[in-house]
Amino acid sequence: MSRLANAGEALAMHARLTPDKIGASDLDRRMSFRLWHQRACRLANALTGLGLGKGDRVAVLAYNAIEWLEIYAATALAGIVAVPVNFRLTGAEARYIIDNCEARALIVQDELLGTIEAIRADLAIASANIVVFGKAPGPAGFADYEDLLARASDRPPSVAVDGADPWMLMYTSGTTGKPKGAIRNHRGGAMLSLVTEIELGLSRHDSALLVMPMCHANSLYFYGAFSFCGGACAVYNRKSFDPEHLVRTLAEGGASFTSLVPTHYSMMLDLSAATRAKYNVDAVTKLMISSAPARRETKLAIMEYFRNSGLFELYGSTEAGWVTMLHPDEQFDKLGSVGRECVGSRPIRLLDADGNEVPDGEPGELFSCNDYTFDGYWKLPEKTQEAFRGDYCSVGDMARRDADGYVYLVDRKSNMIISGGENIYPAEVEALLATHEKVRDVAVIGLPDAKWGERVHAVIVARDGEPPSEAEIIEWCRTRIAGYKRPRSVVFIRDADMPRTATGKIQHRLLRMQQEAASQRDNS
């Protein structure tokens, strides 16, 4: 039996040490650690009562809500495996994950019942094992979340859960094909939580506002860190992003930490100075930025507005957890870097196609090794084997390292453009275009080209005002980047039309499909 507590046991400890302290909340409700633990125990016992045993999977489809905090703790207590499903998926996409993981139960928020009802006839889950939560009782034939909890015991379930037992089956976003389920165990969850606490300097006096989707690794991993150290977790359960509302929530809720993507920060900073001045955000002392590169001026503006906060930046993945961390005192000495290895990790390896380490300054595929790397992909032994070289794991990201050991992401291996025999990493071209004063956001992809094989194609979201022309962008790049890397074609789209994952990452594969189809229509 592992000596490390799992997330459910960590909650039990804080329910004993600080029972009346508010431990979990969203914009509508608050729970003490005692009540949170009691409800997690009730849910664990209720799931067991539905016939789920240790190692069985329960899929969860919901917007951000306080129930996520109960579900993650309950599954840890019962040895049941949680399978978060992205609420943005279509019915067919959700069905693939539910079927693929062989879920024996499904917890769904009432507002997302339409997704499930559309695929209900195809799901191999009994109606009694489809549990609905929300503002009103679930429809007839399905189980009601609150009724199940009311009838279940609030005593911890008598299940022996070992550190090597699986806790999460987290499906990747599927940017390179069908989603793959990454298996994560309890020991890895505990170790990642402890490393996060060390890197960020967290204590039980800190509190988190979890804005990113709770079905995603970002919020899940930060939830783990705060629940282990006894800090409070608040789930931001507003479905649409309103920058002023978030600023007001940070000011009034008193959270000391939140994690956002650059787009979120940009939208807050685009608020008028008068609007921002209405809210005192001095309680925020730690901010995380991740998932996409951030401009120097954006970072400066963040630190100017959140004057009491240190700005952290990280690189990680669902599979590997946190890999590198850039700390507040390193932000401008190593601009563009995602930092160095997190504490407790082995040295990162950057490998060429033959498995040889590349020299400093040269791009190579990034492999990391730590005690919280995932166990492998669910029912995909070949994909698991591809992801590992010994104990080292890769998700296909390319990076380079400087002489001081700082890592700079280059791009995903799958995004690389080969034009006229030259390898081009879109992220490099995107980083340049992002500095243009009229460019708000940009993605660079490769499109088929009769002469070059692929051509560099830029898809741009322009800032408010008069947008630049295609010719202006191409000419602007002429003296700033090598000729073979310059965009040969440019299109402008609305921000709402840029395909993104739940965490704001641009989906280059989907964008490439859309642009190829548009190009074929234009040429027909």
Side-chain angles (χ1 to χ4, degrees):
M1 178 73 72
S2 169
R3 293 187 180 183
L4 280 172
N6 66 40
E9 293 165 335
L11 173 58
M13 178 184 71
H14 296 299
R16 177 172 56 84
L17 297 177
T18 55
D20 298 321
K21 177 183 174 181
I22 297 299
S25 63
D26 60 16
L27 298 176
D28 305 308
R29 292 165 293 170
R30 304 198 307 167
M31 293 189 296
S32 67
F33 275 108
R34 178 196 288 115
L35 180 58
W36 182 9
H37 180 243
Q38 288 172 343
R39 285 178 62 86
C41 289
R42 288 182 181 276
L43 179 57
N45 290 316
L47 291 173
T48 302
L50 293 177
L52 277 71
K54 183 177 174 180
D56 285 336
R57 275 76 57 201
V58 54
V60 186
L61 178 64
Y63 295 117
N64 274 9
I66 197 171
E67 281 81 3
W68 279 104
L69 303 179
E70 298 173 345
I71 293 165
Y72 283 143
T75 51
L77 288 166
I80 292 169
V81 181
V83 185
V85 180
N86 190 334
F87 55 78
R88 294 185 177 181
L89 298 183
T90 64
E93 291 169 324
R95 178 196 166 192
Y96 172 81
I97 291 174
I98 295 167
D99 286 348
N100 184 257
C101 76
E102 300 171 356
R104 294 199 58 198
L106 168 66
I107 299 175
V108 58
Q109 191 172 13
D110 55 0
E111 295 176 71
L112 289 164
L113 267 174
T115 302
I116 298 305
E117 288 173 338
I119 59 174
R120 175 70 195 95
D122 300 317
L123 293 179
I125 300 177
S127 294
N129 279 24
I130 297 178
V131 182
V132 182
F133 75 85
K135 296 179 180 178
F142 295 157
D144 181 77
Y145 185 91
E146 291 298 333
D147 284 349
L148 286 179
L149 264 64
R151 290 188 274 112
S153 169
D154 63 3
R155 296 180 62 83
S158 56
V159 181
V161 183
D162 187 75
D165 291 332
W167 175 35
M168 291 288 158
L169 185 52
M170 304 194 69
Y171 280 76
T172 60
S173 57
T175 55
T176 56
K178 286 286 189 185
K180 302 186 295 290
I183 305 165
R184 301 196 59 86
N185 65 40
H186 289 279
R187 184 176 187 277
M191 289 299 298
L192 179 55
S193 295
L194 297 176
V195 166
T196 307
E197 291 165 16
I198 294 169
E199 290 285 348
L200 298 184
L202 298 179
S203 77
R204 65 182 61 188
H205 303 296
D206 283 298
S207 56
L209 181 65
L210 303 174
V211 177
M212 307 286 273
M214 290 299 300
C215 59
H216 187 268
N218 187 287
S219 279
L220 168 60
Y221 295 165
F222 283 119
Y223 144 75
F226 279 81
S227 65
F228 266 83
C229 73
C233 291
V235 177
Y236 187 70
N237 60 318
R238 190 181 177 95
K239 290 192 289 295
S240 59
F241 185 78
D242 179 331
E244 183 175 356
H245 185 271
L246 178 59
V247 171
R248 183 167 66 246
T249 302
L250 287 168
E252 296 175 355
S256 64
F257 168 85
T258 195
S259 173
L260 302 168
V261 298
T263 301
H264 290 148
Y265 287 109
S266 295
M267 292 174 70
M268 288 192 292
L269 296 171
D270 282 346
L271 295 170
S272 69
T275 298
R276 283 186 275 123
K278 292 192 298 184
Y279 306 106
N280 185 335
V281 292
D282 287 354
V284 182
T285 58
K286 300 176 180 72
L287 288 171
M288 181 61 69
I289 189 168
S290 64
S291 298
R295 301 177 182 182
R296 179 184 179 89
E297 58 267 29
T298 300
K299 291 184 176 182
L300 281 169
I302 292 170
M303 290 185 282
E304 180 181 357
Y305 182 51
F306 293 93
R307 58 186 182 181
N308 284 356
S309 182
L311 181 63
F312 295 79
E313 191 166 0
L314 67 79
Y315 161 70
S317 65
T318 300
E319 293 90 337
W322 309 149
V323 176
T324 63
M325 193 83 73
L326 189 71
H327 295 86
D329 60 327
E330 302 167 317
Q331 282 291 344
F332 295 111
D333 290 338
K334 297 294 181 179
L335 187 66
S337 168
V338 289
R340 294 184 286 191
E341 296 92 338
C342 292
V343 295
S345 299
R346 293 183 188 175
I348 282 171
R349 302 180 69 193
L350 301 179
L351 306 181
D352 63 20
D354 297 321
N356 301 311
E357 295 217 32
V358 299
D360 288 345
E362 294 293 322
E365 185 173 356
L366 190 155
F367 284 79
S368 64
C369 182
N370 52 51
D371 279 340
Y372 44 79
T373 299
F374 81 130
D375 291 339
Y377 292 115
W378 173 258
K379 298 197 298 185
L380 292 172
E382 292 182 0
K383 292 293 184 182
T384 300
Q385 187 174 4
E386 290 175 11
F388 284 91
R389 287 181 181 263
D391 292 333
Y392 276 76
C393 166
S394 170
V395 293
D397 288 323
M398 305 294 288
R400 60 180 176 86
R401 180 167 42 205
D402 68 16
D404 297 322
Y406 286 82
V407 174
Y408 298 76
L409 293 180
V410 176
D411 214 325
R412 288 194 67 84
K413 187 166 61 174
S414 59
N415 288 343
M416 188 173 70
I417 301 167
I418 302 177
S419 183
E422 296 282 1
N423 293 343
I424 302 165
Y425 294 102
E428 180 183 3
V429 187
E430 290 169 352
L432 171 68
L433 290 170
T435 65
H436 192 289
E437 62 181 6
K438 295 182 180 179
V439 173
R440 181 186 182 93
D441 204 357
V442 58
V444 170
I445 58 175
L447 290 183
D449 188 271
K451 180 177 181 180
W452 303 103
E454 284 185 298
R455 72 175 186 272
V456 178
H457 178 73
V459 183
I460 291 174
V461 177
R463 290 190 177 277
D464 294 339
E466 185 67 25
S469 66
E470 178 183 37
E472 179 184 342
I473 292 294
I474 293 173
E475 180 61 29
W476 181 85
C477 291
R478 189 172 300 280
T479 60
R480 292 174 169 84
I481 197 168
Y484 71 92
K485 299 178 184 178
R486 286 201 304 265
R488 297 179 182 274
S489 54
V490 180
V491 298
F492 299 90
I493 65 172
R494 300 180 307 154
D495 183 66
D497 294 330
M498 185 73 84
R500 302 178 189 273
T501 67
T503 56
K505 289 184 181 179
I506 294 172
Q507 294 180 294
H508 286 74
R509 183 179 68 90
L510 180 55
L511 183 65
R512 188 180 304 114
M513 292 169 58
Q514 293 173 347
Q515 291 293 306
E516 283 183 6
S519 179
Q520 290 171 1
R521 287 196 301 271
D522 293 342
N523 295 328
S524 61

